[in-house]
């Protein structure tokens, strides 16, 4: 039994190495001259890093965000990565959660100016943390609007044209919090779980039209948005997320773009990310045999690992509660 298990693991590792090498070479052979890539949230953080990657592969780029000054500065940085004189860059200052027709008109203008879309990368998003009692209704509605409505509106605005051209890729940026609910991230998680459902359904609706969907599940990433998010994190959430790795936006942007170009449904990074996509694969589309083998072979074992992590998190929460009660006893 032991030898059979070792044999299976060795075969999987060999397939992984072969597949990784093959795909890496394929990506860097791929240039995107003349292709139009639109990135929402492209003025900073992960979205800007995706735009820089696309610029280095020769694509024409549109970035979308609200703050026009930041967009202008990002546009200059992205242009500095161009490899051809005739590459184009367009930027749109709009709130993607505002009235649908104005969002549609703004994105249509970019498509008319730069050309049909090859890829839409939805990166606009934000996090506000807090337990349900702590969060204001305004913040709850804001999270739903920015994370969910903005992504749905941007995607709806481009989907018909993509179907007509018969190809295209749409990236939906969720989070690892789309796979598991964590203390202090309830509403954020709700918006990101919703995006997972949206991505799965969209994949079913568009596959026959040659459109690929990638669901990006970044882990903690050192961006301006993350610095902002940390200000509202309860102690429990901070302690739980400290057990994970902090990635750079360049690493995450590179991974998302690579997975989107390869047509992978899940885009994730780091050990925990891979654990989650294997353990929570559910009805997600399968885009690689290797991924399928891992899901079939390891999901039972992963359930046990997940229960271990969960017990660790509950212990943190209990300790914080006891410390809080002790402190308030001392004060009173
Ligand atoms: N950083 C992390 O640790 C992490 C982890 C998991 C998932 N994610 C997800 O990854 C995505 C990018 O995160 P990030 O950390 O790179 O965020 P960020 O640094 O705050 O950047 C967010 C970008 O989205 C734009 N944006 C926000 N709301 C918008 C709206 N209503 N309309 C148009 N543009 C809007 C922002 O520009 P304006 O403010 O000028 O509009 C900015 O360009 C988000 O969906 C986030 O939830 C991040």
């Amino acid at each position: 039994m032991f030898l059979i298990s070792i044999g299976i693991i060795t075969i999987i590792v060999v397939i992984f190495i072969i597949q990784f090498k093959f795909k890496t070479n394929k990506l860097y052979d791929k240039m995107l001259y003349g292709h139009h890539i639109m990135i929402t949230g492209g003025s900073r953080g992960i979205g800007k890093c995706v735009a820089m990657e696309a610029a280095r592969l020769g694509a024409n780029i549109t970035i979308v965000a609200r703050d026009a000054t930041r967009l202008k500065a990002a546009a200059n940085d992205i242009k500095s990565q161009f490899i051809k004189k005739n590459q184009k860059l367009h930027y749109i200052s709009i709130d993607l959660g505002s009235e649908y027709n104005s969002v549609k008109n703004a994105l249509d203008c970019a498509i008319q100016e730069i050309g049909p879309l090859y890829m839409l990368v939805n990166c606009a998003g934000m996090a506000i943390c807090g337990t349900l009692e702590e969060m204001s209704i305004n913040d709850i509605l804001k999270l739903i609007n920015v994370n969910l409505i903005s992504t749905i509106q941007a995607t709806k605005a481009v989907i018909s044209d993509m179907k007509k051209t018969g190809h295209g890729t749409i990236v939906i940026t969720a989070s690892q919090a789309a796979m598991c609910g964590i203390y202090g991230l309830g509403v954020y998680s709700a918006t990101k779980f919703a995006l997972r459902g949206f991505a799965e359904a969209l994949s079913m609706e568009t596959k026959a039209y040659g459109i690929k969907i990638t669901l990006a599940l970044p882990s903690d990433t050192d961006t301006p948005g993350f610095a902002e998010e940390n200000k509202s994190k309860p102690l429990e959430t901070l302690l739980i997320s400290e057990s994970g790795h902090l990635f750079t936006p360049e690493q995450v942007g590179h991974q998302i773009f690579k997975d989107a170009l390869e047509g992978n449904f899940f885009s994730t990074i780091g050990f925990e990310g891979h654990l989650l996509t294997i353990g929570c694969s559910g009805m997600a589309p399968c885009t690689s045999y290797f991924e399928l083998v891992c899901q079939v072979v390891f999901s039972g074992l992963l359930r046990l690992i997940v229960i271990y992590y969960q017990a660790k998190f509950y212990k943190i929460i209990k300790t914080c509660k006891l410390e809080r009660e002790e402190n308030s006893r001392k004060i009173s």
Side-chain angles (χ1 to χ4, degrees):
M1 191 61 195
F2 177 71
L3 284 178
I4 294 174
S5 311
I6 294 288
I8 292 174
I9 291 170
T10 312
I11 292 168
I12 290 171
V13 170
V14 170
I15 296 173
F16 180 74
I17 292 168
I18 293 171
Q19 181 166 339
F20 181 76
K21 262 192 103 54
F22 174 70
K23 281 193 165 179
T24 308
N25 290 340
K26 210 172 75 181
L27 175 74
Y28 285 103
D29 285 347
K30 190 165 191 165
M31 296 313 283
L32 300 172
Y33 302 131
H35 290 314
H36 182 188
I37 299 187
M38 181 180 284
I39 303 116
T40 77
S43 68
R44 68 179 200 183
I46 298 171
K48 184 179 167 192
C49 290
V50 173
M52 306 275 266
E53 284 275 323
R56 288 192 284 271
L57 288 179
N60 296 323
I61 291 162
T62 297
I63 51 171
V64 189
R66 290 163 303 184
D67 186 313
T69 316
R70 230 168 19 217
L71 270 168
K72 217 171 177 176
N76 288 332
D77 292 344
I78 295 162
K79 275 185 193 160
S80 74
Q81 303 298 306
F82 280 178
I83 53 166
K84 289 253 175 191
K85 278 206 174 103
N86 59 354
Q87 269 177 270
K88 296 177 202 158
L89 191 133
H90 184 88
Y91 64 83
I92 305 171
S93 166
I94 192 164
D95 180 346
L96 288 163
S98 61
E99 199 256 327
Y100 174 70
N101 285 336
S102 48
V103 173
K104 168 89 178 132
N105 288 340
L107 303 200
D108 279 352
C109 282
I111 291 169
Q112 270 157 23
E113 191 173 318
I114 310 264
L117 267 196
Y118 178 77
M119 189 187 288
L120 168 70
V121 182
N122 285 291
C123 251
M126 68 179 307
I128 305 171
C129 309
T131 59
L132 190 58
E133 307 120 270
E134 285 162 357
M135 286 203 55
S136 69
I137 288 295
N138 270 351
D139 282 348
I140 292 172
L141 294 176
K142 196 166 157 188
L143 270 180
I144 294 170
N145 187 263
V146 175
N147 290 350
L148 186 57
I149 306 298
S150 294
T151 303
I152 292 176
Q153 295 210 131
T155 306
K156 183 171 167 57
V158 306
I159 197 77
S160 305
D161 284 349
M162 255 192 197
K163 274 185 169 177
K164 277 183 210 143
T165 55
H167 62 82
T169 300
I170 295 174
V171 178
I172 313 279
T173 303
S175 159
Q176 287 185 0
M179 313 294 262
C180 61
I182 296 289
Y183 185 107
L185 293 176
V187 179
Y188 175 75
S189 255
T191 63
K192 298 298 189 177
F193 266 69
L195 285 177
R196 179 190 173 158
F198 177 60
E200 284 189 9
L202 201 63
S203 171
M204 236 183 231
E205 286 178 19
T206 57
K207 193 174 193 290
Y209 295 88
I211 297 170
K212 291 177 185 144
I213 307 295
T214 293
L215 177 68
L217 305 164
S219 60
D220 285 348
T221 311
D222 194 5
T223 62
F226 183 69
E228 200 56 42
E229 165 187 343
N230 274 341
K231 291 181 193 162
S232 61
K233 261 183 193 161
L235 179 63
E236 289 85 341
T237 321
L238 271 174
L239 293 173
I240 289 170
S241 56
E242 264 171 14
S243 58
H245 186 79
L246 181 66
F247 290 89
T248 66
E250 288 79 12
Q251 287 173 308
V252 174
H254 173 78
Q255 188 64 46
I256 292 176
F257 199 52
K258 180 175 179 289
D259 283 316
L261 288 177
E262 289 176 0
N264 296 334
F265 180 73
F266 285 128
S267 174
T268 192
I269 190 163
F271 180 65
E272 285 95 359
H274 287 101
L275 279 190
L276 283 171
T277 53
I278 294 169
C280 308
S281 47
M283 280 286 281
C286 175
T287 41
S288 111
Y289 289 118
F290 171 70
E291 193 183 66
L292 180 63
V293 171
C294 285
Q295 288 160 358
V296 171
V297 175
F298 294 122
S299 18
L301 177 66
L302 282 175
R303 176 76 186 131
L304 278 181
I305 298 176
V306 162
I307 292 297
Y308 161 77
Y309 273 101
Q310 219 174 47
K312 221 171 107 176
F313 297 164
Y314 275 112
K315 200 170 162 198
I316 291 174
I317 295 161
K318 197 172 169 189
T319 310
C320 288
K321 179 176 177 281
L322 291 175
E323 275 175 15
R324 231 174 251 133
E325 285 168 357
E326 181 64 27
N327 286 343
S328 63
R329 250 199 307 275
K330 276 182 195 158
I331 292 168
S332 58

